[in-house]
Amino acid sequence: MRAILNARSSLRLSNTSFSPQTCLRAIHAERRESARTSCSLHSDAATSKDAGFIPSKLQFFGRKNGRDFSGVCQAKGKKKGGKKGKKKAGSLMTPSAPTVEPWFSTDSIMRLLVLVENYKRATGKFLLEDADIAEIAKDVWQAPFCLLANDFTQSDSPAKATYVNKPFLDCMELNWTDIVGKPAAEMPESVSPLFESWVKSLGAAEKGVIVEGFTAKAKNFEIQEGTAFVLKSPADKPLGQVLIFDKWVYEDGAKGGVGITDPQKIPTEEDIAAAEGLVTEQAQVVRNLKEEKGLTNKDEEVQQAVAVLLERKEKVAELEKLLEEAASE
């Protein structure tokens, strides 16, 4: 089975410059500024160990400097060979691999390439305008909307989250490990009802349902005008579900959304005045240590008092910033 994923059209790329090596390394390598390339990715399968749809082999076709090119990117297997000598700790033979955050991993990138193509196919709209295929993980991670994906395919096992972006984590006040790789039963109570409602709303993945105007309860607010759809491979094989939203309404009727400050977190003038009073109080503590006890900045007691003073000043700055942002919304 050979399925075609046209990443360029799905991301609405125009005159984007990136090298064949970029495709081979799943968009991680640096783009060569001199290359002007259009590229289509072809996958030999839509399966993977963890997500169920990451291709094991990618074939690319493109055009660079007026010449056609093609190649294959295949997952590495274990190398065969005899035993090697034991490497010593700290040896130059064992350089440490750079740490890659899970939302920027190759698996996440491949997931997102399939996801943006699906969104265009399901809604007829582009998920991101003027997106760069080489920056897809970064663009979706900090996108102006909340995004959650799972692996539900009407199998016997419960659906598990496979991806979530930063705005979603921020509005739920959770971390990546609180959600990704877990079924609803193992998620925090603030998000598990939403997850279950979302999965049930789409029903069997084989139906290819898309729900515009999706609403559901989550934490202390209700999602409004969300979009939920079934995720499919380029060969139309069910892979899971996707939920996207950027607006919600709090229990007291206040409106919220990505980029909008939670009303409960907006400080009052009295809050800021109280925080400033704590700064003044701590500044006096530092002065007393120096003037009455004769201590200096080298003394541990003074250093500890100064550290508290700096923390309180940072708190005031944080409250003032929140108030300013809320006023501009």
Side-chain angles (χ1 to χ4, degrees), residues 57-311:
K57 181 188 294 183
L58 286 176
Q59 185 173 11
F60 65 84
F61 299 89
R63 189 171 182 81
K64 173 183 173 184
N65 298 330
R67 298 178 63 184
D68 294 331
F69 65 82
S70 65
V72 175
C73 174
Q74 186 167 355
K76 293 183 179 180
K78 294 183 178 180
K79 295 182 178 180
K80 297 181 180 179
K83 296 182 179 179
K84 297 183 179 180
K86 188 176 182 180
K87 299 176 183 178
K88 296 181 179 179
S91 168
L92 293 177
M93 295 175 64
T94 56
S96 57
T99 301
V100 178
E101 299 291 358
W103 47 89
F104 291 149
S105 68
T106 299
D107 279 355
S108 289
I109 291 174
M110 300 306 293
R111 244 181 229 113
L112 293 173
L113 288 174
V114 175
L115 191 152
V116 295
E117 187 273 340
N118 265 245
Y119 184 82
K120 177 64 169 64
R121 194 183 342 159
T123 68
K125 298 178 290 186
F126 294 100
L127 181 62
L128 293 167
E129 294 289 338
D130 301 320
D132 189 333
I133 192 172
E135 299 290 336
I136 183 62
K138 179 180 177 182
D139 290 343
V140 176
W141 172 248
Q142 58 188 22
F145 52 76
C146 297
L147 188 150
L148 178 64
N150 69 32
D151 61 358
F152 179 72
T153 56
Q154 195 72 337
S155 61
D156 295 334
S157 58
K160 293 181 180 179
T162 56
Y163 179 86
V164 62
N165 70 349
K166 188 175 185 298
F168 184 92
L169 295 176
D170 288 345
C171 78
M172 295 294 175
E173 298 183 327
L174 298 173
N175 297 316
W176 174 276
T177 53
D178 294 327
I179 301 177
V180 177
K182 296 181 177 180
E186 297 178 15
M187 293 181 183
E189 293 182 1
S190 60
V191 71
S192 58
L194 163 64
F195 195 86
E196 291 178 341
S197 174
W198 163 43
V199 172
K200 291 178 181 178
S201 70
L202 289 176
E206 288 81 2
K207 294 181 181 179
V209 180
I210 176 170
V211 179
E212 294 278 14
F214 175 82
T215 61
K217 292 283 187 178
K219 198 183 174 184
N220 62 336
F221 56 81
E222 180 179 80
I223 293 172
Q224 293 194 336
E225 300 179 25
T227 299
F229 62 94
V230 173
L231 187 67
K232 292 188 176 183
S233 72
D236 214 35
K237 177 183 177 181
L239 305 171
Q241 302 169 331
V242 179
L243 173 61
I244 298 173
F245 63 93
D246 61 1
K247 296 177 180 141
W248 52 84
V249 176
Y250 291 98
E251 294 174 342
D252 61 0
K255 294 183 178 180
V258 177
I260 300 177
T261 306
D262 184 342
Q264 296 181 355
K265 295 181 179 180
I266 300 176
T268 63
E269 294 291 349
E270 290 75 15
D271 293 331
I272 295 177
E276 289 175 337
L278 293 176
V279 170
T280 302
E281 178 183 296
Q282 188 63 22
Q284 185 60 49
V285 170
V286 174
R287 281 193 294 272
N288 290 342
L289 290 174
K290 293 181 177 181
E291 295 173 1
E292 297 179 8
K293 292 189 175 183
L295 302 180
T296 67
N297 290 334
K298 294 183 179 180
D299 292 302
E300 183 177 354
E301 191 174 353
V302 173
Q303 293 174 356
Q304 291 177 348
V306 170
V308 173
L309 175 61
L310 294 176
E311 288 179 1

